[in-house]
Amino acid sequence: MIAYVTVGADDIARAKRFYSAFLPALGYELEEGPEGLSYALPVQPGQSSALPDFYVKPPFDGRPASAGNGAMTAFEARSQQQVRDLHAAALAAGGSDEGRPGFRDSYGPRFYVGYLRDPQGNKIALFSCNPDEPGRDG
């Protein structure tokens, strides 16, 4: 189980605008501190934490943040419509399009995905595999 993902950001305010455009809709709550942004799923009483957490922070080594080549973080949405809505919201909040929402031939018939880059260049996927929705083949 992945416990957390951290991406670097030089401009925390820009990163906050981008990630807050879609993570709260996926159930993540934001805690902001001097070390950056912490997005976590709420913990229900008597349950262990829901993972993974997602952190946005300036790099610890003090050097400029850079996106990892080949690295990507994917967030699961509830529906194809939510993928489209959150992709649009993230673009409006300073992200850049890396692949419009839709089906991809190289993945399963129900894998509906949109790709983005955050303002720092980190690659993000928003996807849905909802079995109650039509797949690629109708």
Side-chain angles (χ1 to χ4, degrees):
M1 169 69 69
I2 296 174
Y4 64 89
V5 174
T6 302
V7 296
D10 294 325
D11 187 334
I12 296 298
R14 272 183 84 194
K16 179 181 176 184
R17 187 170 60 250
F18 175 80
Y19 286 107
S20 291
F22 67 92
L23 286 178
L26 298 175
Y28 282 83
E29 296 176 349
L30 171 62
E31 183 176 317
E32 197 168 357
E35 68 284 343
L37 310 174
S38 298
Y39 290 92
L41 296 167
V43 178
Q44 301 302 319
Q47 294 183 351
S48 58
S49 61
L51 301 173
D53 292 342
F54 188 76
Y55 304 123
V56 184
K57 301 175 179 289
F60 290 109
D61 66 6
R63 296 173 53 198
S66 63
N69 186 21
M72 178 173 54
T73 303
F75 294 96
E76 187 171 7
R78 291 183 297 279
S79 67
Q80 295 168 14
Q81 184 62 52
Q82 189 178 37
V83 169
R84 290 188 294 273
D85 292 346
L86 297 181
H87 187 274
L91 290 176
S96 59
D97 183 39
E98 190 73 12
R100 303 296 302 162
F103 295 104
R104 302 299 192 274
D105 290 337
S106 56
Y107 300 118
R110 296 206 175 279
F111 192 80
Y112 189 87
V113 63
Y115 297 102
L116 302 145
R117 296 267 178 190
D118 75 2
Q120 195 67 48
N122 296 296
K123 191 169 182 181
I124 303 296
L126 297 167
F127 76 95
S128 175
C129 295
N130 186 334
D132 297 327
E133 293 186 297
R136 178 177 60 227
D137 303 324

